[in-house]
Amino acid sequence: MTPDEALIRLRERLGYGLEEARLTKLQLVARTRLSRSTIQAAFQNGGTVPSAATLGALAAALGLPRGELLELRRMAVGVPGPAPAPGPGRLITEWDPHDLEVHPAGVVAGIPAATAAGPRSGSPGPGRVLPGYVRRGHDVVLADVVQEARKGRSRMVVLVGPSSTGKTRACWEAVQPLAADGWRLWHPYDPTRTEAALADLERVAPLTVVWLNDAQHYLDDPQTGERIAAALHTLLTEPGRGPVLVLGTLWPECADLYAYVPGPGEPDPHSRTREILAGRTLTVPDTFDAHALRTAESIAEDGDRLLADALVRTRANGRVTQDLAGAPELLRRHEHASPPARALLEAAMDARRLGVGLHLPQAFLTRAAADYITDHDWDRLADDWVEAAYADLARSLYGKQAPLLRVHPRPAYRPSADRAEPDPACAASAGPVFRLADFLEQHGRTIRKWACPPDSFWAAAEAHLTDGSSLNNLAGAAEVRHRLQWAHRLRCRAADAGDIGAMYVLARERERAGDHDGAAALYQRALDAGATGALAGLARMREQLGDDDGAAVLYRAALAAGDSSVLNSLAQTLEYKDQEDAAVLYRRAVEAGSSFAMYKLAHMEEEAGNQEGAEALYLRAADAGDKHSLECAALLRERAGDREGAEALLRRAVDAGDIEALHNIAQGRWHAGDVEGAEALYLQAADAGHTDALCRLALMREMVGDRDGAEASLKRAADAGDTRAIVHLARMRDEAGDWDEAAALYQRAAHAGELVSLKRLVEVLCQEGDWDGAQALARGVADLGHVHALCTLARLRWHLGDREGAEALLRPVADTASTSALQDNGVFAWVTAAFDPGAQALRELVLMREEAGDGEGAQIFAHRAADAGDTHSLAGLAEKRLKAGDREGAETIYRQAADAGQSLSTFDRQWPHGLEPDGSPTHPEA
């Protein structure tokens, strides 16, 4: 950067700071105590270079990085300074975009590469070109983020979209303005992505772009991923580290996995990753909209032959980026591959979708491929089939990626006493390794969803994979597919390879089987490998065996090793023997912020008669997020006769969403004969806008025969818009024989989307023979956006014989079903599916087809429902066939579900010893 450029940049930074601080120059004079002329000269183009003291005062007043301003000043005055020790990375201008994993574009037949593309940004290497760039909606947002970084604010954004949708190219285009400002770019890659990131994130200097392309490779592993997420948080928030810009790309299924919030008691392996991504993701559409297509056509008309060629094939579907990245040709290569080449690709697809690492050993792929080849093709293989298949798959597509390409990971080195030695884990996996093309990997997750890998795949994994994490992932995949023997064998191999998670799972299996010595040995192995959490497992086991003293010793050892999570467990172990020691431990846990410890300590204080101390701890626990503690504190006040104080706490509980606390104390008053006091509680909550309290009061009044009082409460709640109250009131009027009033109430509830009310109205209309009225009602509710009403309307048409019309209603909605469960990690996708309109429509289509005797059609729709996370349709279909005497048909569905990893509760009953890879039951003695 020349002195003039540095001075221009310095004044730009000051201008941005003044704009963001929303100050006038007069206000800046007051804040800095500098003269008006000094302030004016600092901002004036053509003025003198501001002094270091002036810049220091301006930096403090505007919240700008002082070091950056002083460095720009040094360059502006032309004073040579000591070259700052650069952090990792190099200048953006020194990067080739293809080295940053921007997909190379192809060439047009007969046109030299250098002339195939029109005007373009960046500097790809010789013979490689980038087509013209089409800016879309996400580019505008991305540009704003980059502008924020230029103004001195550290920012992070991760682009989310399927493979080959232009995410990486968008990032490359976005950083071009930073190149002119002298920013560096660091792509953590060597020796592995995670190792590079963990080693050097703390060294990242200001004015650096951190490039996390395919961020799942950095974040997927819970142990290393959580450490990387924590390091990114520090980088973005620590004063003096910025400005930096963190750019990443991510597949949607990975973003869904990281965003999942587990329920109480469930493990939370991606908590830090979820936090670092919150509010920092940006969706990239997988197709060009009409405006983007018009822009692309304009660029093509200006001479960009690459875009022109792609548009010939993509005008109708808008999948321009995928075409440029070679997706159609990759698909063709897979579909038309020779039997051995196709077998290698599908073995690689299965390996990646089931959790094997990015680099696939050749020995593993070759052995795995055997059972993917039919007997007919196997007998006709040439002697050199292995070499020929790999050579065929290594051929690149128009200069772009190959379906299966040999790669050369760099060895990781670990320091020893006197020299660096290769990591033995790398040595163990010596031999050629291959990487599957991204697009084929994602394609495989869809087309292989319902396929269980054959026996050769599992045997190859056991024989040739050496990475413990990959082996443990495969063990989990085998387990959900009910391949129980392979799951156990692979988990044992994972434990032998040092995977702590596998050791824990095996230890718990031994515990459940009563083999406490075997479990202890596995916990000890984990402990020897540095997992101090194993001490807690050993302690819990001693506790279950009744050895509280031994458990306490182990919990103390875990505590001494820095595992503060055992404080509560140790305290609970001691609670009935030494309350004083237990209280000391609970207090330590309280200092660490444990709401459970606050609650337990409060309970101990309450039992000791210290009501004031107990209440203070209950309230502290409530502030820390424990809702039940507010109820406990309210009960203390209630028992002490302080009803007003109790009610104040209950109002807090209700405002926090805990209506049960109020209900429990109201019930106590009611059962004690204080009906007026109970009603007062509910009415106070109702006055604060909580209509649920009125519904609870109505139930209480109805139970004692006060129907008029119950209806009065329900009318008040209904008038406030509470749909449950409307339904309850409608039911009471219906039971009392007042159908006109009941129907009006049911109609109100139905139009609010309440299913039971709609069904009751339709039922009555159909009983009266008013089918047209029933259809009109269902259509009216469906038009308000309630899919269950559409299902009801479809069911009516089906009943009237219009099967084609019934399906026509449901198919468009079914096509919107979420596909988040297509990924094997979508363990809790059924929760989403329960509320997904598309899944509801699919469930109805399954029932219709099965009732019509179209078992194959029902099965197809049940598979689609399962892909959307709803396995209940599949299970229900199998149960229907069992009841109809079609045991073979039911078992076929169960096997298909098992092959896809759609774990059903019937598997253990159906096949207690598991399944073989071919789907046959495992023999008990195998």
Side-chain angles (χ1 to χ4, degrees), residues 24 61 95 127 182 192 222 226 393 444 483 546 567 604 607 639 742 789 794 802:
T24 65
W95 279 98
T192 67
E226 291 292 89
L393 295 174
R483 272 59 181 188
L567 278 167
M604 291 172 73
E607 287 188 333
R639 289 170 188 155
D802 182 12

Side-chain angles (χ1 to χ4, degrees), residues 68-133:
E68 181 191 354
L69 298 184
L70 292 177
E71 177 62 15
L72 286 170
R73 180 187 183 278
R74 183 191 64 76
M75 291 188 284
V77 297
V79 176
R90 59 180 186 262
L91 292 174
I92 294 174
T93 53
E94 297 174 4
W95 279 98
D96 182 322
H98 297 110
D99 293 337
L100 296 171
E101 301 170 322
V102 174
H103 285 157
V107 297
V108 183
I111 304 294
T115 60
R120 55 197 180 271
S121 61
S123 52
R128 300 195 290 182
V129 297
L130 290 176
Y133 189 66

Side-chain angles (χ1 to χ4, degrees), residues 159 202 251 392 506 622 750 758 763 781 884:
L159 273 60
E202 65 179 5
W251 288 353
D392 178 33
L506 289 170
L758 177 65
E763 177 188 359
V781 177

Side-chain angles (χ1 to χ4, degrees), residues 126 156 224 230 274 288 320 372 380 463 580 593 623 661 675 692 802 921:
M156 174 177 175
T224 55
R274 181 172 64 251
F288 277 28
V320 179
Y372 290 81
R380 287 159 178 76
E580 191 173 333
D623 290 339
V675 176
D692 189 47
D802 182 12

Side-chain angles (χ1 to χ4, degrees), residues 305-573:
R305 297 295 301 275
L306 285 173
L307 266 179
D309 183 57
L311 286 169
V312 170
R313 296 180 292 276
T314 60
R315 277 190 181 90
N317 59 31
R319 299 177 70 82
V320 179
T321 56
Q322 293 90 333
D323 189 275
L324 288 167
E329 181 63 12
L330 283 170
L331 290 177
R332 190 197 68 77
R333 290 280 295 276
H334 170 246
E335 290 166 1
H336 298 287
S338 65
R342 187 183 180 96
L344 288 171
L345 285 178
E346 292 185 353
M349 288 175 176
D350 285 346
R352 288 294 294 138
R353 74 185 176 93
L354 299 186
V356 181
L358 198 61
H359 299 137
L360 306 171
Q362 183 178 30
F364 159 71
L365 288 173
T366 304
R367 181 166 176 182
D371 289 350
Y372 290 81
I373 303 172
T374 65
D375 291 341
H376 176 273
D377 290 328
W378 183 264
D379 290 338
R380 287 159 178 76
L381 290 177
D383 291 342
D384 65 344
W385 71 268
V386 174
E387 294 81 3
Y390 281 109
D392 178 33
L393 295 174
R395 285 189 296 109
S396 59
L397 317 173
Y398 303 126
K400 295 177 285 199
Q401 68 265 44
L404 189 68
L405 186 66
R406 182 174 177 179
V407 291
H408 302 276
R410 296 179 183 272
Y413 285 90
R414 298 195 304 191
S416 65
D418 53 358
R419 61 188 179 86
E421 295 181 346
D423 190 323
C426 291
S429 60
V433 293
F434 289 77
R435 178 172 175 176
L436 181 67
D438 283 354
F439 188 84
L440 285 181
E441 178 183 330
Q442 196 163 39
H443 181 57
R445 292 173 186 266
T446 302
I447 65 166
R448 300 283 303 164
K449 165 67 182 176
W450 291 88
C452 179
D455 195 66
S456 61
F457 175 90
W458 307 104
E462 184 182 34
H464 296 290
L465 294 183
T466 59
D467 175 63
S469 178
S470 293
L471 286 161
N472 196 38
N473 289 341
L474 284 183
E479 189 166 34
V480 296
R481 286 162 179 76
H482 215 58
R483 272 59 181 188
L484 303 183
Q485 284 204 345
W486 276 118
H488 180 73
R489 290 169 65 169
L490 289 169
R491 194 160 277 128
C492 289
R493 283 279 292 116
D496 291 341
D499 188 85
I500 303 299
M503 296 177 198
Y504 283 164
V505 173
L506 289 170
R508 286 192 287 272
E509 285 180 2
R510 300 280 171 87
E511 281 186 67
R512 287 192 293 270
D515 179 9
H516 299 292
D517 291 340
L522 282 159
Y523 281 130
Q524 188 61 51
R525 281 174 61 187
L527 185 59
D528 293 342
T532 55
L535 284 165
L538 284 166
R540 189 188 65 252
M541 196 171 66
R542 299 312 309 165
E543 203 171 3
Q544 290 170 350
L545 292 171
D547 181 7
D548 288 346
D549 292 338
V553 169
L554 288 164
Y555 279 134
R556 290 187 190 280
L559 195 56
D563 185 1
S564 60
S565 66
V566 302
L567 278 167
N568 288 328
S569 299
L570 177 56
Q572 284 180 285
T573 303

Side-chain angles (χ1 to χ4, degrees), residues 139-420:
D139 293 292
V140 176
V141 179
L142 197 52
D144 289 341
V145 173
V146 170
Q147 193 64 15
E148 287 284 303
R150 292 188 77 191
K151 292 178 180 180
R153 298 173 183 81
S154 292
R155 291 291 183 262
M156 174 177 175
V157 65
V158 176
L159 273 60
V160 178
S163 174
S164 305
T165 50
K167 302 184 296 295
T168 314
R169 176 71 186 275
C171 291
W172 173 250
E173 296 295 328
V175 301
Q176 295 313 303
L178 300 178
D181 294 342
W183 279 56
R184 302 167 67 80
L185 186 148
W186 174 52
H187 180 24
Y189 192 84
D190 180 15
T192 67
R193 295 173 193 246
T194 53
E195 287 175 290
L198 288 171
D200 283 336
L201 268 171
E202 65 179 5
R203 295 181 51 240
V204 171
L207 305 181
T208 299
V209 176
V210 179
W211 190 268
L212 303 180
N213 193 48
D214 287 334
Q216 63 268 20
H217 298 320
Y218 298 92
L219 301 172
D220 249 4
D221 183 272
Q223 293 181 349
T224 55
E226 291 292 89
R227 291 174 60 197
I228 290 172
L232 288 171
H233 179 269
T234 301
L235 174 63
L236 292 167
T237 59
E238 192 171 87
R241 297 289 300 276
V244 297
L245 175 63
V246 180
L247 291 180
T249 66
L250 199 60
W251 288 353
E253 56 269 22
C254 298
D256 290 345
L257 172 66
Y258 302 150
Y260 173 73
V261 180
E266 295 175 11
D268 192 3
H270 299 292
S271 61
R272 285 181 173 173
T273 299
R274 181 172 64 251
E275 290 164 7
I276 198 70
L277 292 179
R280 293 187 172 108
T281 57
L282 176 61
T283 300
V284 176
D286 57 359
T287 58
F288 277 28
D289 60 16
H291 176 73
L293 284 170
R294 287 194 298 271
T295 304
E297 286 169 355
S298 176
I299 296 173
E301 289 169 3
D302 287 341
D304 193 310
R305 297 295 301 275
L306 285 173
L307 266 179
D309 183 57
L311 286 169
V312 170
R313 296 180 292 276
T314 60
R315 277 190 181 90
N317 59 31
R319 299 177 70 82
V320 179
T321 56
Q322 293 90 333
D323 189 275
L324 288 167
E329 181 63 12
L330 283 170
L331 290 177
R332 190 197 68 77
R333 290 280 295 276
H334 170 246
E335 290 166 1
H336 298 287
S338 65
R342 187 183 180 96
L344 288 171
L345 285 178
E346 292 185 353
M349 288 175 176
D350 285 346
R352 288 294 294 138
R353 74 185 176 93
L354 299 186
V356 181
L358 198 61
H359 299 137
L360 306 171
Q362 183 178 30
F364 159 71
L365 288 173
T366 304
R367 181 166 176 182
D371 289 350
Y372 290 81
I373 303 172
T374 65
D375 291 341
H376 176 273
D377 290 328
W378 183 264
D379 290 338
R380 287 159 178 76
L381 290 177
D383 291 342
D384 65 344
W385 71 268
V386 174
E387 294 81 3
Y390 281 109
D392 178 33
L393 295 174
R395 285 189 296 109
S396 59
L397 317 173
Y398 303 126
K400 295 177 285 199
Q401 68 265 44
L404 189 68
L405 186 66
R406 182 174 177 179
V407 291
H408 302 276
R410 296 179 183 272
Y413 285 90
R414 298 195 304 191
S416 65
D418 53 358
R419 61 188 179 86

